[in-house]
mmCIF file with all atom_site columns, all heavy atoms in Angstrom:
data_model
loop_
_atom_site.group_PDB
_atom_site.id
_atom_site.type_symbol
_atom_site.label_atom_id
_atom_site.label_alt_id
_atom_site.label_comp_id
_atom_site.label_asym_id
_atom_site.label_entity_id
_atom_site.label_seq_id
_atom_site.pdbx_PDB_ins_code
_atom_site.Cartn_x
_atom_site.Cartn_y
_atom_site.Cartn_z
_atom_site.occupancy
_atom_site.B_iso_or_equiv
_atom_site.pdbx_formal_charge
_atom_site.auth_seq_id
_atom_site.auth_comp_id
_atom_site.auth_asym_id
_atom_site.auth_atom_id
_atom_site.pdbx_PDB_model_num
ATOM 1   N N   . LEU A 1 30 ? -21.441 1.383  -8.669  1.00 0.00 ? 30 LEU A N   1
ATOM 2   C CA  . LEU A 1 30 ? -21.199 2.570  -7.815  1.00 0.00 ? 30 LEU A CA  1
ATOM 3   C C   . LEU A 1 30 ? -21.524 3.875  -8.426  1.00 0.00 ? 30 LEU A C   1
ATOM 4   O O   . LEU A 1 30 ? -22.133 4.685  -7.896  1.00 0.00 ? 30 LEU A O   1
ATOM 5   C CB  . LEU A 1 30 ? -19.775 2.452  -7.134  1.00 0.00 ? 30 LEU A CB  1
ATOM 6   C CG  . LEU A 1 30 ? -19.474 3.464  -5.986  1.00 0.00 ? 30 LEU A CG  1
ATOM 7   C CD1 . LEU A 1 30 ? -20.374 3.118  -4.819  1.00 0.00 ? 30 LEU A CD1 1
ATOM 8   C CD2 . LEU A 1 30 ? -18.118 3.293  -5.560  1.00 0.00 ? 30 LEU A CD2 1
ATOM 9   N N   . TYR A 1 31 ? -21.053 3.948  -9.621  1.00 0.00 ? 31 TYR A N   1
ATOM 10  C CA  . TYR A 1 31 ? -21.307 5.125  -10.460 1.00 0.00 ? 31 TYR A CA  1
ATOM 11  C C   . TYR A 1 31 ? -22.784 5.442  -10.605 1.00 0.00 ? 31 TYR A C   1
ATOM 12  O O   . TYR A 1 31 ? -23.314 6.514  -10.408 1.00 0.00 ? 31 TYR A O   1
ATOM 13  C CB  . TYR A 1 31 ? -20.523 5.086  -11.747 1.00 0.00 ? 31 TYR A CB  1
ATOM 14  C CG  . TYR A 1 31 ? -20.862 6.224  -12.658 1.00 0.00 ? 31 TYR A CG  1
ATOM 15  C CD1 . TYR A 1 31 ? -20.250 7.458  -12.452 1.00 0.00 ? 31 TYR A CD1 1
ATOM 16  C CD2 . TYR A 1 31 ? -21.742 6.053  -13.710 1.00 0.00 ? 31 TYR A CD2 1
ATOM 17  C CE1 . TYR A 1 31 ? -20.544 8.551  -13.203 1.00 0.00 ? 31 TYR A CE1 1
ATOM 18  C CE2 . TYR A 1 31 ? -22.128 7.186  -14.625 1.00 0.00 ? 31 TYR A CE2 1
ATOM 19  C CZ  . TYR A 1 31 ? -21.409 8.418  -14.309 1.00 0.00 ? 31 TYR A CZ  1
ATOM 20  O OH  . TYR A 1 31 ? -21.727 9.495  -15.052 1.00 0.00 ? 31 TYR A OH  1
ATOM 21  N N   . PHE A 1 32 ? -23.516 4.370  -11.074 1.00 0.00 ? 32 PHE A N   1
ATOM 22  C CA  . PHE A 1 32 ? -24.882 4.520  -11.362 1.00 0.00 ? 32 PHE A CA  1
ATOM 23  C C   . PHE A 1 32 ? -25.775 4.626  -10.073 1.00 0.00 ? 32 PHE A C   1
ATOM 24  O O   . PHE A 1 32 ? -26.640 5.357  -10.010 1.00 0.00 ? 32 PHE A O   1
ATOM 25  C CB  . PHE A 1 32 ? -25.341 3.397  -12.251 1.00 0.00 ? 32 PHE A CB  1
ATOM 26  C CG  . PHE A 1 32 ? -24.961 3.469  -13.545 1.00 0.00 ? 32 PHE A CG  1
ATOM 27  C CD1 . PHE A 1 32 ? -24.035 2.591  -14.127 1.00 0.00 ? 32 PHE A CD1 1
ATOM 28  C CD2 . PHE A 1 32 ? -25.337 4.576  -14.444 1.00 0.00 ? 32 PHE A CD2 1
ATOM 29  C CE1 . PHE A 1 32 ? -23.601 2.704  -15.451 1.00 0.00 ? 32 PHE A CE1 1
ATOM 30  C CE2 . PHE A 1 32 ? -24.901 4.758  -15.694 1.00 0.00 ? 32 PHE A CE2 1
ATOM 31  C CZ  . PHE A 1 32 ? -23.942 3.745  -16.186 1.00 0.00 ? 32 PHE A CZ  1
ATOM 32  N N   . SER A 1 33 ? -25.349 3.970  -8.946  1.00 0.00 ? 33 SER A N   1
ATOM 33  C CA  . SER A 1 33 ? -26.026 4.153  -7.751  1.00 0.00 ? 33 SER A CA  1
ATOM 34  C C   . SER A 1 33 ? -25.810 5.526  -7.175  1.00 0.00 ? 33 SER A C   1
ATOM 35  O O   . SER A 1 33 ? -26.766 6.153  -6.650  1.00 0.00 ? 33 SER A O   1
ATOM 36  C CB  . SER A 1 33 ? -25.728 3.132  -6.711  1.00 0.00 ? 33 SER A CB  1
ATOM 37  O OG  . SER A 1 33 ? -24.390 3.212  -6.184  1.00 0.00 ? 33 SER A OG  1
ATOM 38  N N   . ALA A 1 34 ? -24.583 6.033  -7.268  1.00 0.00 ? 34 ALA A N   1
ATOM 39  C CA  . ALA A 1 34 ? -24.432 7.484  -6.875  1.00 0.00 ? 34 ALA A CA  1
ATOM 40  C C   . ALA A 1 34 ? -25.079 8.429  -7.655  1.00 0.00 ? 34 ALA A C   1
ATOM 41  O O   . ALA A 1 34 ? -25.487 9.512  -7.112  1.00 0.00 ? 34 ALA A O   1
ATOM 42  C CB  . ALA A 1 34 ? -22.852 7.755  -6.836  1.00 0.00 ? 34 ALA A CB  1
ATOM 43  N N   . MET A 1 35 ? -25.321 8.188  -8.903  1.00 0.00 ? 35 MET A N   1
ATOM 44  C CA  . MET A 1 35 ? -26.089 9.045  -9.819  1.00 0.00 ? 35 MET A CA  1
ATOM 45  C C   . MET A 1 35 ? -27.452 9.211  -9.321  1.00 0.00 ? 35 MET A C   1
ATOM 46  O O   . MET A 1 35 ? -28.144 10.103 -9.389  1.00 0.00 ? 35 MET A O   1
ATOM 47  C CB  . MET A 1 35 ? -26.008 8.661  -11.263 1.00 0.00 ? 35 MET A CB  1
ATOM 48  C CG  . MET A 1 35 ? -24.592 8.639  -11.917 1.00 0.00 ? 35 MET A CG  1
ATOM 49  S SD  . MET A 1 35 ? -24.057 10.305 -12.249 1.00 0.00 ? 35 MET A SD  1
ATOM 50  C CE  . MET A 1 35 ? -25.186 10.737 -13.628 1.00 0.00 ? 35 MET A CE  1
ATOM 51  N N   . LEU A 1 36 ? -28.125 8.029  -8.905  1.00 0.00 ? 36 LEU A N   1
ATOM 52  C CA  . LEU A 1 36 ? -29.434 7.979  -8.437  1.00 0.00 ? 36 LEU A CA  1
ATOM 53  C C   . LEU A 1 36 ? -29.633 8.603  -7.058  1.00 0.00 ? 36 LEU A C   1
ATOM 54  O O   . LEU A 1 36 ? -30.708 9.036  -6.755  1.00 0.00 ? 36 LEU A O   1
ATOM 55  C CB  . LEU A 1 36 ? -29.883 6.495  -8.385  1.00 0.00 ? 36 LEU A CB  1
ATOM 56  C CG  . LEU A 1 36 ? -29.993 5.783  -9.781  1.00 0.00 ? 36 LEU A CG  1
ATOM 57  C CD1 . LEU A 1 36 ? -30.265 4.313  -9.552  1.00 0.00 ? 36 LEU A CD1 1
ATOM 58  C CD2 . LEU A 1 36 ? -30.886 6.513  -10.749 1.00 0.00 ? 36 LEU A CD2 1
ATOM 59  N N   . ARG A 1 37 ? -28.534 8.522  -6.189  1.00 0.00 ? 37 ARG A N   1
ATOM 60  C CA  . ARG A 1 37 ? -28.758 8.977  -4.759  1.00 0.00 ? 37 ARG A CA  1
ATOM 61  C C   . ARG A 1 37 ? -27.647 10.034 -4.445  1.00 0.00 ? 37 ARG A C   1
ATOM 62  O O   . ARG A 1 37 ? -26.707 9.676  -3.790  1.00 0.00 ? 37 ARG A O   1
ATOM 63  C CB  . ARG A 1 37 ? -28.722 7.814  -3.850  1.00 0.00 ? 37 ARG A CB  1
ATOM 64  C CG  . ARG A 1 37 ? -29.726 6.844  -4.138  1.00 0.00 ? 37 ARG A CG  1
ATOM 65  C CD  . ARG A 1 37 ? -29.584 5.616  -3.261  1.00 0.00 ? 37 ARG A CD  1
ATOM 66  N NE  . ARG A 1 37 ? -28.258 5.401  -2.662  1.00 0.00 ? 37 ARG A NE  1
ATOM 67  C CZ  . ARG A 1 37 ? -27.916 4.285  -2.240  1.00 0.00 ? 37 ARG A CZ  1
ATOM 68  N NH1 . ARG A 1 37 ? -28.665 3.172  -2.168  1.00 0.00 ? 37 ARG A NH1 1
ATOM 69  N NH2 . ARG A 1 37 ? -26.624 4.099  -1.795  1.00 0.00 ? 37 ARG A NH2 1
ATOM 70  N N   . PRO A 1 38 ? -27.772 11.231 -5.032  1.00 0.00 ? 38 PRO A N   1
ATOM 71  C CA  . PRO A 1 38 ? -26.518 12.158 -4.796  1.00 0.00 ? 38 PRO A CA  1
ATOM 72  C C   . PRO A 1 38 ? -26.438 12.510 -3.349  1.00 0.00 ? 38 PRO A C   1
ATOM 73  O O   . PRO A 1 38 ? -25.260 13.044 -2.884  1.00 0.00 ? 38 PRO A O   1
ATOM 74  C CB  . PRO A 1 38 ? -27.010 13.277 -5.708  1.00 0.00 ? 38 PRO A CB  1
ATOM 75  C CG  . PRO A 1 38 ? -28.491 13.175 -5.804  1.00 0.00 ? 38 PRO A CG  1
ATOM 76  C CD  . PRO A 1 38 ? -28.703 11.762 -5.800  1.00 0.00 ? 38 PRO A CD  1
ATOM 77  N N   . ASP A 1 39 ? -27.417 12.490 -2.489  1.00 0.00 ? 39 ASP A N   1
ATOM 78  C CA  . ASP A 1 39 ? -27.365 12.909 -1.127  1.00 0.00 ? 39 ASP A CA  1
ATOM 79  C C   . ASP A 1 39 ? -26.912 11.716 -0.111  1.00 0.00 ? 39 ASP A C   1
ATOM 80  O O   . ASP A 1 39 ? -26.797 11.900 1.090   1.00 0.00 ? 39 ASP A O   1
ATOM 81  C CB  . ASP A 1 39 ? -28.681 13.461 -0.538  1.00 0.00 ? 39 ASP A CB  1
ATOM 82  C CG  . ASP A 1 39 ? -29.071 14.748 -1.288  1.00 0.00 ? 39 ASP A CG  1
ATOM 83  O OD1 . ASP A 1 39 ? -28.117 15.330 -1.870  1.00 0.00 ? 39 ASP A OD1 1
ATOM 84  O OD2 . ASP A 1 39 ? -30.231 15.079 -1.367  1.00 0.00 ? 39 ASP A OD2 1
ATOM 85  N N   . SER A 1 40 ? -26.746 10.569 -0.714  1.00 0.00 ? 40 SER A N   1
ATOM 86  C CA  . SER A 1 40 ? -26.391 9.387  0.123   1.00 0.00 ? 40 SER A CA  1
ATOM 87  C C   . SER A 1 40 ? -24.935 9.386  0.652   1.00 0.00 ? 40 SER A C   1
ATOM 88  O O   . SER A 1 40 ? -23.996 9.999  0.057   1.00 0.00 ? 40 SER A O   1
ATOM 89  C CB  . SER A 1 40 ? -26.713 8.102  -0.587  1.00 0.00 ? 40 SER A CB  1
ATOM 90  O OG  . SER A 1 40 ? -25.773 7.981  -1.544  1.00 0.00 ? 40 SER A OG  1
ATOM 91  N N   . ASP A 1 41 ? -24.637 8.686  1.688   1.00 0.00 ? 41 ASP A N   1
ATOM 92  C CA  . ASP A 1 41 ? -23.265 8.428  2.195   1.00 0.00 ? 41 ASP A CA  1
ATOM 93  C C   . ASP A 1 41 ? -22.518 7.598  1.229   1.00 0.00 ? 41 ASP A C   1
ATOM 94  O O   . ASP A 1 41 ? -22.949 6.481  0.994   1.00 0.00 ? 41 ASP A O   1
ATOM 95  C CB  . ASP A 1 41 ? -23.388 7.862  3.631   1.00 0.00 ? 41 ASP A CB  1
ATOM 96  C CG  . ASP A 1 41 ? -21.996 7.601  4.226   1.00 0.00 ? 41 ASP A CG  1
ATOM 97  O OD1 . ASP A 1 41 ? -21.018 7.792  3.587   1.00 0.00 ? 41 ASP A OD1 1
ATOM 98  O OD2 . ASP A 1 41 ? -21.920 7.203  5.448   1.00 0.00 ? 41 ASP A OD2 1
ATOM 99  N N   . PRO A 1 42 ? -21.382 7.976  0.748   1.00 0.00 ? 42 PRO A N   1
ATOM 100 C CA  . PRO A 1 42 ? -20.748 7.145  -0.284  1.00 0.00 ? 42 PRO A CA  1
ATOM 101 C C   . PRO A 1 42 ? -20.265 5.713  0.380   1.00 0.00 ? 42 PRO A C   1
ATOM 102 O O   . PRO A 1 42 ? -20.150 4.850  -0.299  1.00 0.00 ? 42 PRO A O   1
ATOM 103 C CB  . PRO A 1 42 ? -19.515 8.002  -0.666  1.00 0.00 ? 42 PRO A CB  1
ATOM 104 C CG  . PRO A 1 42 ? -19.516 9.059  0.296   1.00 0.00 ? 42 PRO A CG  1
ATOM 105 C CD  . PRO A 1 42 ? -20.775 9.385  0.948   1.00 0.00 ? 42 PRO A CD  1
ATOM 106 N N   . ARG A 1 43 ? -20.034 5.775  1.643   1.00 0.00 ? 43 ARG A N   1
ATOM 107 C CA  . ARG A 1 43 ? -19.593 4.483  2.248   1.00 0.00 ? 43 ARG A CA  1
ATOM 108 C C   . ARG A 1 43 ? -20.788 3.492  2.255   1.00 0.00 ? 43 ARG A C   1
ATOM 109 O O   . ARG A 1 43 ? -20.563 2.317  1.982   1.00 0.00 ? 43 ARG A O   1
ATOM 110 C CB  . ARG A 1 43 ? -19.101 4.765  3.694   1.00 0.00 ? 43 ARG A CB  1
ATOM 111 C CG  . ARG A 1 43 ? -17.766 5.423  3.763   1.00 0.00 ? 43 ARG A CG  1
ATOM 112 C CD  . ARG A 1 43 ? -17.371 5.742  5.175   1.00 0.00 ? 43 ARG A CD  1
ATOM 113 N NE  . ARG A 1 43 ? -18.174 6.754  5.773   1.00 0.00 ? 43 ARG A NE  1
ATOM 114 C CZ  . ARG A 1 43 ? -18.055 8.085  5.621   1.00 0.00 ? 43 ARG A CZ  1
ATOM 115 N NH1 . ARG A 1 43 ? -17.007 8.545  4.953   1.00 0.00 ? 43 ARG A NH1 1
ATOM 116 N NH2 . ARG A 1 43 ? -18.852 8.913  6.172   1.00 0.00 ? 43 ARG A NH2 1
ATOM 117 N N   . GLU A 1 44 ? -21.967 3.953  2.543   1.00 0.00 ? 44 GLU A N   1
ATOM 118 C CA  . GLU A 1 44 ? -23.172 3.154  2.343   1.00 0.00 ? 44 GLU A CA  1
ATOM 119 C C   . GLU A 1 44 ? -23.296 2.641  0.917   1.00 0.00 ? 44 GLU A C   1
ATOM 120 O O   . GLU A 1 44 ? -23.692 1.456  0.769   1.00 0.00 ? 44 GLU A O   1
ATOM 121 C CB  . GLU A 1 44 ? -24.413 3.834  2.787   1.00 0.00 ? 44 GLU A CB  1
ATOM 122 C CG  . GLU A 1 44 ? -24.507 4.096  4.264   1.00 0.00 ? 44 GLU A CG  1
ATOM 123 C CD  . GLU A 1 44 ? -25.737 4.826  4.655   1.00 0.00 ? 44 GLU A CD  1
ATOM 124 O OE1 . GLU A 1 44 ? -26.704 4.814  3.857   1.00 0.00 ? 44 GLU A OE1 1
ATOM 125 O OE2 . GLU A 1 44 ? -25.765 5.561  5.630   1.00 0.00 ? 44 GLU A OE2 1
ATOM 126 N N   . ALA A 1 45 ? -23.067 3.542  -0.025  1.00 0.00 ? 45 ALA A N   1
ATOM 127 C CA  . ALA A 1 45 ? -23.233 3.028  -1.454  1.00 0.00 ? 45 ALA A CA  1
ATOM 128 C C   . ALA A 1 45 ? -22.189 1.957  -1.725  1.00 0.00 ? 45 ALA A C   1
ATOM 129 O O   . ALA A 1 45 ? -22.495 0.947  -2.464  1.00 0.00 ? 45 ALA A O   1
ATOM 130 C CB  . ALA A 1 45 ? -23.067 4.351  -2.363  1.00 0.00 ? 45 ALA A CB  1
#
Side-chain angles (χ1 to χ4, degrees):
L30 190 59
Y31 174 77
F32 287 113
S33 69
M35 294 288 289
L36 297 173
R37 302 178 334 199
D39 296 338
S40 69
D41 179 354
R43 290 175 292 275
E44 285 179 27

